[in-house]
Amino acid sequence: MTLSIVRNAPLKSLNTFGVAANAATLITLEHEAQLPELRPALAAEPAPFVLGGGSNVLFTADVPGTILRVRLRGVRIVSDDARGVIVEAAAGEDWDGLVRWSLAQHCYGLENLALIPGTVGAAPIQNIGAYGVELSDVFDSLDAIDLGSGKTATLSAADCAFGYRDSIFKRPGPNRLVLRVRLRLSRTAPARLSHGEIGQALHAAGVDNPTPADVADAVRQVRMSKLPDPARLGNAGSFFKNPIVSAAHAGQLLAEYPGAPNYPAVLAGVAARKLSAAWLIEACGWKGVREGDAGVDARHALVLVNYGQATGAQLIGLATRIRASVHQRFNIRLEAEAVLLPTPEGWGP
Ligand code: EPU
C-alpha cells in the first residue's frame, strides 16, 4: 500500500478538542514498509508535525505545513525473565489499549497510567504521568528514525532525558520519529499507591490488598470522576503544566494561602516547589467559566473544553486571559502543556 498524502486535509476528527482546522498536507504512515517513501515525500518539509491520537494538541489555526499521522501497529513480548518482561509496542498503538493488554498478559507497571488518551509513540515525547507514576519509571528504550538522515537508532532512558512532561524530543535537535517503544514491566509489581487519591478510592471500595487490576480500576474511576471524557466533550486533558517555582516564591504564596497544594520539585538543580495550576486558575475564578463554546471545565480547572463549535482561536483567547489573570494575581507565568499548532504569538518557549 502506498503512503497516503492528502492536501488541504481536515483535522477536526483527528484532534480530541474537536476543533476544525485544515493542514496544508497530511501524510499517514500505516506500515513500516512505507518508510522508504516517506523521506522523498517530506523533501519539501523535513520537519513535519507528528500526530498520534491528537489528544494533546490544540490547532490554533490552519496548519500551513505538513502533519505526519502515525498509525503503525503491533505489540509483542520481547523477553520474559527474572529481570522483568520487556513489552514492545508500535508508535501508533492506543496507549490505554496497551495498558489493558499488558494487564491481561499479567505484566504489571502501567496500572497508574490507565485511561490516558493518546498513542504509544506520543507517550515518551511528554513523558506522560499520572497518579504517582511517569512513563520514565517503566521505560526501557525506543527506536526512532531520524527523518533527516533516514537512520534508525535505539534511545535509552538516559538518551531521552526525561523530565516533568519533558524529553529530548521537545528540544531542538534531529527530527526523530518514534517507531516503537519498549517498556520494562514486572510479573510481581507491587501496587503503587503513593498518590493518596488512589489509596482512598481503593479504601472506599473496601479493597485492602489491591491487585494491579484493582489499581487500574481505581485509576479509571478517579479519572472518570474528575476529567471530562474527550469522546463526549472536546478537550486535551491538562491544558497547562503545573508551575515549578522557587522555594521562596512558594513560601510567599503559602503564607497568604496555607491551603494551596504544593509538592517537592527541582528547578535548575535547586530544591523548589511544584504548585497546582488548577488551584491557581480556580482561585482566579475561572473554573466552570464558559465563553461561547469555549470553556474551563466545571470539575477540573486545568482542562479547557470545547462545547461544540469553539475554534482554536477562541480557545487560545480564553487560555491567554486565564494566563494573564494568574500572572497578575500570583506573578506566575503558566506554560501550555498541550502542544499549540501553529504556535500563537506570546506562547513560544
Ligand atoms: N485542584 C483544584 N481545582 C481543580 C482541580 C484540582 O484546586 O479544579 C487541586 C486538587 O485539589 C489537588 C491539585 O489541584 O490538590 C492537583 O489536582 P489533580 O490531582 O487533579 O492533578 P493535577 O496536578 O491537576 C496532574 C496531571 C494530570 C494527571 C493528574 C493525576 C499535569 C499537567 N497534569 O494534574 O495529567 O492525571 O496530575 O496524577 O501534570 C494530563 O497531562 O493531561 C493530565 C490529565
Side-chain angles (χ1 to χ4, degrees):
M1 198 168 59
T2 55
L3 197 61
S4 152
I5 304 178
V6 178
R7 307 284 174 203
N8 204 22
L11 300 171
K12 191 174 165 78
S13 66
L14 302 184
N15 72 97
T16 60
F17 249 128
V19 157
N22 283 357
T25 306
L26 175 68
I27 300 180
T28 306
L29 180 70
E30 302 258 3
H31 306 285
E32 286 205 22
Q34 295 168 333
L35 282 173
E37 287 173 70
L38 184 58
R39 285 185 63 231
L42 292 173
E45 194 185 3
F49 175 74
V50 178
L51 187 68
S55 56
N56 197 46
V57 63
L58 175 62
F59 294 119
T60 57
D62 285 339
V63 179
T66 299
I67 289 185
L68 173 57
R69 187 175 176 221
V70 178
R71 300 195 61 194
L72 302 170
R73 305 301 301 268
V75 181
R76 68 185 182 115
I77 290 179
V78 178
S79 62
D80 187 352
D81 56 35
R83 287 169 303 159
V85 187
I86 302 288
V87 168
E88 180 181 85
E93 286 289 334
D94 173 62
W95 174 263
D96 191 48
L98 176 65
V99 174
R100 291 174 188 276
W101 183 90
S102 62
L103 273 175
Q105 304 296 314
H106 307 286
C107 301
Y108 308 125
L110 303 184
E111 307 71 64
N112 301 48
L113 304 176
L115 213 57
I116 295 184
T119 57
V120 167
I125 311 301
Q126 54 151 337
N127 186 23
I128 57 169
Y131 303 107
V133 175
E134 289 188 336
L135 179 81
S136 52
D137 297 327
V138 288
F139 182 87
D140 176 74
S141 56
L142 61 77
D143 299 335
I145 184 168
D146 179 336
L147 293 172
S149 68
K151 292 204 175 89
T152 299
T154 297
L155 277 72
S156 67
D159 294 331
C160 293
F162 291 119
Y164 166 58
R165 294 296 196 273
D166 194 30
S167 74
I168 193 172
F169 303 101
K170 287 197 157 186
R171 295 170 214 153
N175 244 302
R176 296 190 184 91
L177 175 69
V178 175
L179 298 175
R180 58 191 87 83
V181 177
R182 282 173 294 275
L183 304 171
R184 182 174 293 278
L185 305 182
S186 165
R187 294 285 179 197
T188 57
R192 275 177 280 195
L193 303 173
S194 64
H195 195 284
E197 236 178 321
I198 302 307
Q200 283 161 22
L202 287 161
H203 184 73
V207 181
D208 290 330
N209 290 309
T211 62
D214 292 331
V215 175
D217 286 347
V219 169
R220 287 178 199 285
Q221 196 195 323
V222 168
R223 286 190 77 96
M224 286 189 297
S225 72
K226 61 198 296 185
L227 294 168
D229 177 0
R232 290 162 195 262
L233 185 61
N235 75 88
S238 302
F239 189 86
F240 298 99
K241 284 188 199 174
N242 286 326
I244 298 176
V245 302
S246 70
H249 193 158
Q252 286 165 11
L253 181 94
L254 290 166
E256 202 174 338
Y257 306 97
N262 66 104
Y263 316 90
V266 175
L267 186 63
V270 178
R273 302 303 290 178
K274 189 194 274 185
L275 304 175
S276 158
W279 185 92
L280 297 168
I281 294 166
E282 184 173 348
C284 289
W286 287 102
K287 191 169 182 172
V289 167
R290 179 171 175 170
E291 295 178 352
D293 272 356
V296 180
D297 189 57
R299 289 186 302 174
H300 203 301
L302 201 45
V303 183
L304 298 193
V305 293
N306 175 6
Y307 286 100
Q309 305 302 321
T311 63
Q314 287 165 338
L315 284 157
I316 199 67
L318 175 60
T320 301
R321 288 186 284 284
I322 292 170
R323 193 166 72 150
S325 74
V326 168
H327 187 252
Q328 192 184 15
R329 172 138 176 216
F330 297 110
N331 193 25
I332 291 172
R333 190 173 180 272
L334 294 179
E335 279 176 39
E337 197 267 345
V339 177
L340 309 177
L341 194 75
T343 309
E345 202 161 323
W347 287 89

